[in-house]
Amino acid sequence: MYKARNILLVVLTMGAILMLSLIVGASFLQMRDYEKSYSYNEMLASIERIRAAIDSFFVSKVAVLKFISFNGGGADLLQKLTAMSSDIVGVGAVSESGAVNYELLYGSSAAISVDSEWLKKTNAHGYYVSDVFTLSSGIRVFLIGVKGTDFLVLKAKSLDEIIINDKYNVSIVNADFKVQAPSYAYEDNEVKRSLEHLPSVFPTSTVINVTGALHGYVRVDGSEWIINIIPKKGVHSISFVESTFFKIIVVASAMVLLTIGLIVWGFVINLREADKKTQEAVKKLLPFSRLSIIGRLANNIMNELNNPLEIINQKAGLINDMLMLPAADINKDKVVFLTQGILDNIKRGRTIIHRFLKFADTNTETIEFLAVDSVLKDVLVFFKDELAFRNIRVIRKFSTDVPTVNTNRCKVQQVFLNVINGAIKFLGKDGTMILYIHSVKGGVIMIEVICETTMDKKVRDASHYFDQQDEKEDDFDFYASQWIVKSIGVTMDYKLHDNNKAVFCVTIPVSTEEDNTYVKD
Amino acid sequence: MSKIKVLIIDDENDFASTFSERLLMRGYLSCAVNCAEKAFKTVKENAPDVVILDLKMPSMDGIEMLKVLKKMDPSIEVIVLTGHGLSKGKDEAIKHGAFDYLLKPADIDDIIERIERANKKRMLEQQYLASKRV
């Protein structure tokens, strides 16, 4: 019973964790979508705003800007631009000769590497290079405007790899502003695209995700300037969100597990205490059970014992009566006959007493080899008068090949007493009790008590005798038997058929190791 | 004065026959039977004054037999003599018209005293009924 509860607890815990994981997972995905959408929109709005400012700026000052850029004045240009919009953090320019000027507000220009060689090569191939990053891993990421319109994000150690080896990792920033596979960020190396087959869908501005950080780029129409925007406030990158959510999941799961663990632990402690109390109660209960059975049987036994006593009484009385007669009238043979009758009935009484004492003796419990049929016969003797009185016919069908059982006689006897007693209760009056004993596979002996009443008589259902929840006084013996059978590996079962037939079934393993956890007298 | 007729009904043959013999020695007309059929037959053919009845017998419950006997002849006095000591059995026997209830083993003098008292009661009742008829 407790094992089943523990299994249930584990199943519930697993279910709770699964549910929690599903909820957290679903929340995470929802949150990520929201975050993505929010970040991109924010970035795009920012880009548009800046683009408008830049356009306006260029219209009036394009000549100045060109001058500044060609003279290495990126810093001045950046300063002017940042005065217009606080969102601008960097300005990059590519000259016709391939020289790159790049300025960042944050002073992280060390992370940017300019390679005049590849710039020349890309220009020679008609590509427009806007930016290059050197990742912490040493791999460069190139941002190239393809034929002056579309942007590519390329990843390579050198430009030659991009141009010459068309199987190289190439990411295209598509019309939905998402970096298509394969890309560094998504670790997808399955799809390889050739530069010759690139779509021309890229708008003049976009937001891309490079190594987990968002960048906004704006092409300036009619100009070689490309505005690179990195939000000052910082956009929560997906990787950050992912890692935060991962931490939340881990912490939440740990907390849930800890809580469930504490609850289960509490349960286990309660169950152990309950089990301990039950065992103590059962220890107390079993002797009472035995006393109850003894008390119930005592009446039958008294009747059985009173009969030989009464016979002895009458025969002795008759001898006494005869001895009062004149000596000549005393029939010596008759006296001898009466005396023999007295001795026979003393023997009969002694047998009854011994049998009863053997059952009642609670201090002689030992494991021994038992012939189950013999034990059942002994038990039936206790009910002889009861069965006759109730007009219950007993048919014994004991198989001859039943092996002996190594178990506790006293407990087996008590189980049989309870079953026969229950069967008598079930039948009430007028019926047949068929007793089967036979061996079944797996070293088990089966004892079946089949009770049948006449067809027209509805019988009493004895199911509740086997229900531990239903502790009626009347069912005390069966309730106690549940514990007795448990301690010696015996099982008890009951089935009702067609309202006029019941089968009480007891199985005993041929060899048992007594578990005295539950039963100690 | 005619002898009191006593019928002993008990499935323990040894007891019934020995007890019957002792009653005979004491001047009673006693007869022992061990089953319901024989008992009813005897009552029909030669109605006893007093019946000594065991409560627990195979084939028929003593209380059931008591009811039938009383129905056959209400004047028959029945003394229950049984090995069962439950007060429930005694109450039921008295309720269904038993004169008295004795536990085995019983002293013969006690049983004879009950027989005499039962017979006396029976005679008084018969006299009363006779006077009423006159």
Side-chain angles (χ1 to χ4, degrees), chain A residues 7-18 256-257 260-261 264:
Chain A
I7 290 168
L8 183 68
L9 276 174
V10 171
V11 170
L12 284 173
T13 308
M14 297 292 285
I17 292 169
L18 186 67
V256 168
L257 279 174
I260 291 169
V264 170

Side-chain angles (χ1 to χ4, degrees), chain A residues 294-440:
Chain A
I294 291 168
R296 193 169 298 176
L297 291 175
N299 197 41
N300 282 341
I301 290 159
M302 191 178 81
N303 184 49
E304 208 182 334
L305 202 55
N306 277 342
N307 280 325
L309 264 179
E310 180 64 75
I311 293 166
I312 292 164
N313 180 35
Q314 293 306 331
K315 285 188 187 293
L318 186 54
I319 292 170
N320 190 49
D321 291 348
M322 287 169 72
L323 290 175
M324 303 295 272
L325 296 171
D329 294 340
I330 296 173
N331 182 342
K332 197 180 170 186
D333 291 341
K334 176 101 181 177
V335 172
V336 171
F337 174 74
L338 289 169
T339 311
Q340 189 56 48
I342 289 169
L343 291 172
D344 288 346
N345 278 283
I346 288 171
K347 195 176 172 185
R348 181 180 159 190
R350 191 170 57 212
T351 307
I352 295 163
I353 289 166
H354 284 181
R355 195 188 303 130
F356 184 61
L357 283 177
K358 194 175 175 184
F359 173 76
D361 184 3
T362 54
N363 299 316
T364 56
E365 282 196 26
T366 49
I367 304 292
E368 57 185 297
F369 283 97
L370 302 175
V372 174
D373 55 346
S374 158
V375 179
L376 189 53
K377 278 177 194 167
D378 284 350
V379 168
L380 282 171
V381 172
F382 288 118
F383 293 99
K384 194 184 81 178
D385 283 0
E386 183 86 17
L387 290 164
F389 173 63
R390 290 174 183 264
N391 195 26
I392 296 170
R393 195 160 67 102
V394 176
I395 300 168
R396 295 178 197 177
K397 293 191 175 178
F398 297 169
S399 181
T400 51
D401 60 346
V402 175
T404 54
V405 179
N406 189 22
T407 190
N408 185 314
R409 171 187 286 273
C410 201
K411 286 172 185 170
V412 171
Q413 212 170 24
Q414 197 171 345
V415 169
F416 285 172
L417 276 166
N418 290 343
V419 170
I420 300 293
N421 196 40
I424 290 172
K425 278 182 189 174
F426 168 86
L427 280 167
K429 270 190 171 186
D430 306 320
T432 308
M433 193 188 289
I434 307 165
L435 305 171
Y436 283 96
I437 299 180
H438 51 96
S439 302
V440 290

